[in-house]
Every structure is written in structure tokens, then in C-alpha cells.
Amino acid sequence: MAQSPEQALAAFSPGLPFVVAYSGGADSTALLLACAQRWPGQVRAVHIHHGLQAAADEFERHCQALCQQMKVPLAVRRVQAGNAPGQSPEDAARKARYSALAEAVNTEWPEVRDIALAQHADDQVETLLIALSRGAGLPGLASMPAHWQRLGLHWHRPLLAVPGAVLRQWLTTQGQAWIEDPSNTCTQFTRNRIRAQVLPALAEALPAFRDTFARSAGHAAQAQEVLNEVAEQDLALIGVPPRIAALQLLSRPRQALVLRHWLRIQHATTPSTAQLHELLDQVAACTTRGHRLHLKVGQGFVRREGACLLWHAS
């Protein structure tokens, strides 16, 4: 069942003080205001100035004015994220944003260990639909986690059960204005097309879709946790770097699982489905010492060196 901001925050227990990532849009404004009301004097804010559009300076001024009014300390960081070959601009911007948030927290308030982000129920549905459209596996279908650790910090999404419309309605009752990002209406982006065209149709055909989709994402996340445990156990058996002979003793699905895990955990890269299938075929063909292996995998290459597989960046 859809929650109100107050209900969502009742189940949120961050370490105090904590930081809210604040863009100036409706979602982060609702999160910042609700958190400041629930934990007065314990909230800090970080605004990321991307410089991607002319309105970015206006966003910053709006955020500074509201934080000054609410007596919430604000740090601003400017980022210019360039995407690497094979990386989407959105992914590059997201990574740059997380790095800038972590840097701001560690520099301005080193005692803070928790950061709250404002993604909500509609964002979760959009993420799931995008994953389905790309043929994603369980990690993609699990969508966005409510809590995780990264860069030495605890990250939280306390509003994942709150629809975006509810956040805007709540802000209106509070008499609080927000900034509308002009890029939110640009249908060039898949997420915006889903928001404008797909979600209204789902609401009419399947009124409870936010709850049921969230439940499916939760099931996928739980199943992925089990697979991660299996992959960790298999990686301990085949070693790091992976020994080819030990890898060949596993079934092909478990080889795929442990290789994805190795590449993600050890090298922060993810193979495409085609790359992984080719790697598995080459592993199966490694029956002689002279068999060479050198394949493009993720953002680098996997090669055979003696009895093991090694990965190196492009």
C-alpha cells in the first residue's frame, strides 16, 4: 500500500546527523522538508550542480534559499561528468554524483555516515520496466535497493513506497514550492517516456501496480542475495584469479554466475550477455596448454595466463 512521507520516515532510522541529497526538485524537497521536521537540527544537505543546462544556477540559488530558511547546512559540489566509451551519459552522471556526494560528506561533515536519496515508488517502477526492456537478469529486476553501502557510507532510499504524486500533494499541503527540471519532460529519455505514457496506462489497467511491482522486485533481490552467496562460495573454490580447471568442474550456469561475480567484485565491470557466452565457450575449449584466450569483456579484456584467467582494463 502506498505510504505518506511521514509513514515512510517512521520506518527510517539513520544515524544522526545525516545528509539528504537535495536537487531542488519535488522529490528531494519533500524528503528534505520531512526529514528536517522529524529530526530538527540533525539534517545536512548536499546539492550537486551538474552544469548540464542553463537552469542549473537557478537550481542552486533555490536550494541555498530554502536551506537558509530551514536552517539546514548546505554544501554544493559542481561536477562535469564525461562518459567513457560504452558508458551511457546517464550512468556517467550518476557515478559522478555519488562520488561528489561522498566527497562533500567526508569533507564538510566527517562525522556523518548516512545519506538519504529521494527516489520514490514511481522511480522504482520505471527502473524495473527499463530493466525488463533490456532483458536484464535478477540484479536488474531487483531494481533499486532501499539500503546499501558504498564509498564508506550508508545510502538510503526511504521513499520507495511513496508515489511521486503523493509527494507533490504533500508539498502543496505544506505550502512548499519546488523547482521543475525542464529535462523531465524531454521524451528523448526512456525514463521520461515511461513516466508520461506507460505509468498512466498501468494505473488504469492495474491500479495496484506500484505495490505488486515492488513485491516482484523484492523477490528478485532476495533470490539474487542467495545467488551472491553461491557465487562467493564458488569463487573461494576456484580462486582469484580464477583457475580454469576448477572453473570447468562447475556447471555452465554456475560458471556464468561466478565469472560475473568475479568481474563485478574484483574489477567493477559487467560483461554483456554475448561477451559472457563467448567467454564460457572459450573456457570450455581450454583443454590444452597452448589454447589462447583474449576476449573483450566489460570495460576491459579477459586473457588466459597459464592455468588462470586474468582481466585487465582497456
Side-chain angles (χ1 to χ4, degrees):
M1 180 178 296
Q3 295 181 346
S4 68
E6 292 92 347
Q7 289 172 323
L9 291 188
F12 179 39
S13 300
L16 301 178
F18 67 100
V19 158
V20 170
Y22 178 41
S23 70
D27 310 332
S28 64
T29 300
L31 178 61
L32 180 64
L33 181 59
C35 286
Q37 290 175 353
R38 183 173 177 83
W39 294 283
Q42 297 293 333
V43 179
R44 318 286 183 260
V46 175
H47 174 74
I48 303 300
H49 186 303
H50 286 285
L52 298 175
Q53 51 185 305
D57 290 339
E58 181 185 351
F59 295 168
E60 180 181 337
R61 287 191 293 269
H62 173 85
C63 292
Q64 288 174 335
L66 181 59
C67 286
Q68 185 175 11
Q69 175 188 329
M70 296 172 58
K71 296 181 172 56
V72 170
L74 172 69
V76 177
R77 290 296 185 272
R78 294 179 177 242
V79 298
Q80 291 285 353
N83 55 303
Q87 184 185 38
S88 71
E90 293 85 357
D91 186 47
R94 182 173 57 252
K95 289 185 176 180
R97 185 164 58 249
Y98 281 127
S99 295
L101 284 167
E103 184 277 328
V105 169
N106 291 328
T107 301
E108 304 289 340
W109 308 290
E111 75 279 10
V112 169
R113 295 292 89 194
D114 293 76
I115 300 180
L117 307 175
Q119 284 94 356
H120 51 70
D122 295 345
D123 295 321
Q124 186 74 308
V125 170
E126 293 161 12
T127 301
L128 176 58
L129 291 174
I130 289 171
L132 285 168
S133 73
R134 294 173 177 171
L138 280 178
L141 301 182
S143 302
M144 297 184 293
H147 170 252
W148 75 105
Q149 294 184 48
R150 180 178 181 174
L151 302 173
L153 299 168
H154 294 272
W155 304 76
H156 307 268
R157 294 188 176 104
L159 301 180
L160 285 181
V162 185
V166 171
L167 293 175
R168 283 166 170 75
Q169 183 181 15
W170 182 80
L171 282 174
T172 300
T173 64
Q174 299 287 316
Q176 179 59 59
W178 64 88
I179 290 284
E180 286 290 356
D181 188 337
S183 68
N184 286 341
T185 59
C186 178
T187 56
Q188 172 187 352
F189 302 111
T190 302
R191 188 175 289 273
N192 289 349
R193 292 198 300 275
I194 291 174
R195 186 176 305 146
Q197 301 168 20
V198 178
L199 296 194
L202 281 172
E204 184 175 350
L206 303 167
F209 76 95
R210 289 181 180 85
D211 294 334
T212 56
F213 282 24
R215 201 153 57 238
S216 291
H219 292 325
Q222 188 176 53
Q224 185 59 47
E225 287 182 13
V226 175
L227 291 178
N228 287 343
E229 292 178 6
V230 173
E232 191 65 36
Q233 293 169 1
D234 284 347
L235 188 60
L237 290 174
I238 68 173
V240 176
R243 291 177 290 113
I244 295 171
L247 191 59
Q248 289 171 334
L249 296 176
L250 301 175
S251 67
R252 187 178 174 100
R254 284 179 71 162
Q255 288 180 30
L257 181 68
V258 73
L259 286 173
R260 280 189 184 277
H261 187 74
W262 165 60
L263 290 165
R264 178 173 61 87
I265 296 298
Q266 296 291 322
H267 302 294
T269 195
T270 302
S272 69
T273 300
Q275 289 172 344
L276 186 60
H277 284 323
E278 178 63 22
L279 178 57
L280 292 172
D281 290 343
Q282 290 298 315
V283 167
C286 284
T287 56
T288 63
R289 290 185 179 180
H291 184 88
R292 299 184 62 187
L293 189 158
H294 191 271
L295 294 173
K296 179 75 169 68
V297 176
Q299 299 298 314
F301 294 87
V302 170
R303 74 176 191 274
R304 178 180 182 179
E305 186 166 306
C308 297
L309 296 179
L310 298 181
W311 184 90
H312 61 89
S314 301

